[in-house]
Amino acid sequence: MPYRLDVTQGDWPAAELGKGVEGILAESTVLTLATAGHERGPHANLAFFAYDQDLVLYFVSERSTRHSLHLAEEARAAATVFLPPPAFGEQLRGVQLSGSAGEAWGLHAEAAFAAYQARYPSFGQDPQVREQFLAGRGAAALYRFQVEELTAVDEPQFGRRNYLRARVLR
């Protein structure tokens, strides 16, 4: 884990919080991404995601979508990743993330492609599709979400209603 967490709320060791967050990310494949634009207003969408050891999340999206247009205007974004609870209001597990997001270029595009393909092996098998993503051509693009802050709840691990907040240090 090349990143470190600076726990700003909650009494839990940062390394254990990091393992809990990574466990939630590993068990879910879809995030909810929230963006906002000057003319288009707030928006939330669902996206399949991958992540790396530096707590950077990656997703693929069409450049013409509302959230992609928002990210072209303003790189700030928020996301949630959660697991369905076994019963209403019980055993909650999820993480709220905030940071910056945008199209991945150059080495970031290569990292995004590698992380996404590792999680979804059928992604980008065609060499032409791979080249299109890495060169930034085509209707769809690789996106990079660099997490700067997070709030995690993992009731089985951290206790009931124990919301832990942290800044991500790199």
Side-chain angles (χ1 to χ4, degrees):
M1 162 176 8
Y3 68 93
R4 292 185 347 245
L5 294 178
D6 176 24
V7 179
T8 58
Q9 179 181 324
D11 187 22
W12 212 265
E16 287 187 46
L17 174 57
K19 288 178 186 174
V21 167
E22 290 176 14
I24 291 167
L25 296 177
E27 289 184 52
S28 182
T29 57
V30 177
L31 61 76
T32 302
L33 180 73
T35 60
H38 300 292
E39 293 180 25
R40 295 173 193 87
H43 178 67
N45 77 290
L46 299 175
F48 286 95
F49 76 96
Y51 63 98
D52 66 16
Q53 64 183 7
D54 204 26
L55 203 56
V56 175
L57 281 59
Y58 303 101
F59 61 96
V60 174
S61 190
E62 299 279 328
R63 289 184 173 96
S64 62
T65 61
R66 189 170 172 181
H67 56 275
S68 294
L69 294 172
H70 283 171
L71 292 175
E73 288 179 24
E74 172 66 52
R76 301 291 303 155
T80 60
V81 176
F82 64 93
L83 302 168
F88 175 77
E90 297 298 323
Q91 301 299 306
L92 301 177
R93 294 184 69 208
V95 62
Q96 301 165 353
L97 311 161
S98 64
S100 58
E103 278 193 51
W105 297 95
L107 293 176
H108 289 157
E110 290 177 21
F113 193 91
Y116 211 79
Q117 194 171 56
R119 188 153 207 197
Y120 309 103
S122 64
F123 172 75
Q125 290 295 317
D126 181 326
Q128 288 180 321
V129 171
R130 181 183 190 280
E131 179 55 33
Q132 225 176 14
F133 275 108
L134 294 179
R137 294 190 310 266
L142 294 161
Y143 286 81
R144 180 178 194 274
F145 183 103
Q146 183 163 313
V147 179
E148 295 167 6
E149 295 181 327
L150 62 84
T151 301
V153 60
D154 187 341
E155 291 183 346
Q157 183 171 343
F158 304 134
R160 185 165 174 77
R161 304 298 190 263
N162 194 6
Y163 295 89
L164 304 173
R165 290 193 174 97
R167 287 189 302 265
V168 179
L169 307 174
R170 293 181 177 82

